[in-house]
């Protein structure tokens, strides 16, 4: 029906908390997959005809693959910094 929704308020509320924890503890890193699905305050459930969400809160297999690629990329970047 609707393949987009407004930005998650929970994400905006908790992101600064997670980032503060990561700043104060070098063992923790914030991995951001949010931007893969959301931009300019709108979260898209699809891209080029591919659905990424099973429902309003859960990604499906293609969504998991998209998020997984980004997780690996960010982990590799973090390893290069260390």
């Amino acid at each position: 029906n609707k393949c987009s929704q407004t930005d998650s308020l929970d994400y905006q509320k908790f992101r600064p908390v997670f980032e503060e924890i990561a700043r104060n503890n070098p063992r923790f890193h914030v991995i951001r997959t949010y931007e893969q699905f959301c931009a300019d305050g709108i979260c898209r459930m699809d891209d080029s005809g591919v659905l990424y969400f099973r429902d309003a809160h859960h990604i499906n297999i293609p969504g998991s693959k998209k998020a997984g690629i980004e997780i690996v990329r960010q982990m590799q970047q973090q390893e290069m910094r260390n």
Side-chain angles (χ1 to χ4, degrees):
N1 297 18
K2 186 176 174 187
C3 288
S4 66
Q5 66 182 38
T6 56
D7 202 347
S8 167
L9 295 176
D10 288 338
Y11 177 78
Q12 292 176 20
K13 180 170 51 174
F14 292 114
R15 184 178 74 180
V17 174
F18 296 142
E19 289 175 347
E20 180 69 20
I21 291 168
R23 266 193 301 278
N24 293 321
N25 190 331
R27 293 182 6 208
F28 292 95
H29 304 283
V30 176
I31 296 178
R32 294 175 184 85
T33 58
Y34 172 85
E35 289 83 3
Q36 297 299 304
F37 305 103
C38 303
D40 300 324
I42 300 293
C43 297
R44 303 243 352 125
M45 297 182 86
D46 71 330
D47 182 28
S48 302
V50 177
L51 290 175
Y52 293 124
F53 284 79
R54 180 176 62 104
D55 58 34
H57 304 286
H58 301 93
I59 55 178
N60 59 16
I61 292 172
S64 296
K65 289 178 180 178
K66 183 177 180 77
I69 289 168
E70 182 61 18
I71 290 168
V72 168
R73 186 188 72 73
Q74 288 185 39
M75 288 177 69
Q76 289 172 336
Q77 282 182 339
Q78 188 61 40
E79 286 177 5
M80 290 188 318
R81 288 184 202 132
N82 294 335

